[in-house]
Amino acid sequence: NEECIAEGHSIDEMDHAPLPKPCLLSWVANLERHLDNPKRLEGKLQPFVSSNDGWSAADDNGKLGWVPSSGLGSKFTMNWKSVSQPVKAVTWMIMRSYGEKWAGSTLNVQVYSGDALFASEDIVGFHDKHTSETYNIKMELDGDGVTVGSDLTIKFQLTGGSTFKISGMAICDH
């Protein structure tokens, strides 16, 4: 406030309204305060996960994420009833790694509003580099995306390999 006044702006000219949040849900493991262990990650996701068959939070080698603990076929679904803001894109921070454990790793993600499929993608979780790296995978939703008041459902299933790691999510209006 003092800096604004010093620049010649009056208190009445300042807009104190909070900025709207652009995302229904956003998180990045180990970057957010208090999102640094499996129990806290599970607590962050629990309100949105409507069904879970074999996924859990895990921290291996200091790399926290949401992983398919039951291997191939593991799946989970996230739901939002009557969204309070539009959703035009979903972004996943995923880890790609190498070796026998990661061979063939593929996650199928489907985004629905009601019965309408807005986006579907098979995301690869392995590569030939001898490193583990995080990639951002952005899925743009069809048309105007999911509109205010509509339901949003996101389905995830491990369709290849035996492991995968989601290390962040952003479900947003852009």
Side-chain angles (χ1 to χ4, degrees), residues 41-160:
L41 177 54
E42 287 185 3
K44 177 92 173 177
L45 295 177
Q46 187 273 332
F48 311 104
V49 175
S50 59
S51 68
N52 184 353
D53 183 12
W55 283 74
S56 61
D59 187 350
D60 55 332
N61 301 315
K63 296 176 180 159
L64 179 63
W66 191 242
V67 300
S69 49
S70 296
L72 189 64
S74 295
K75 57 188 171 183
F76 72 100
T77 301
M78 300 178 83
N79 276 311
W80 287 262
K81 298 291 184 194
S82 187
V83 297
S84 58
Q85 64 191 65
V87 176
K88 296 183 179 180
V90 292
T91 303
W92 319 113
M93 280 60 68
I94 62 105
M95 190 170 89
R96 286 195 178 135
S97 199
Y98 64 98
E100 189 176 319
K101 178 180 176 181
W102 290 85
S105 174
T106 307
L107 179 69
N108 177 262
V109 180
Q110 297 177 341
V111 182
Y112 293 88
S113 183
D115 293 330
L117 179 64
F118 277 68
S120 180
E121 188 164 342
D122 290 314
I123 302 171
V124 174
F126 67 96
H127 58 200
D128 292 330
K129 297 179 189 179
H130 288 273
T131 61
S132 295
E133 300 176 353
T134 299
Y135 291 82
N136 292 337
I137 309 296
K138 186 173 186 176
M139 297 172 64
E140 302 277 350
L141 304 188
D142 291 343
D144 291 330
V146 178
T147 56
V148 172
S150 299
D151 294 343
L152 170 64
T153 300
I154 307 174
K155 297 180 179 184
F156 303 80
Q157 182 168 354
L158 185 67
T159 56

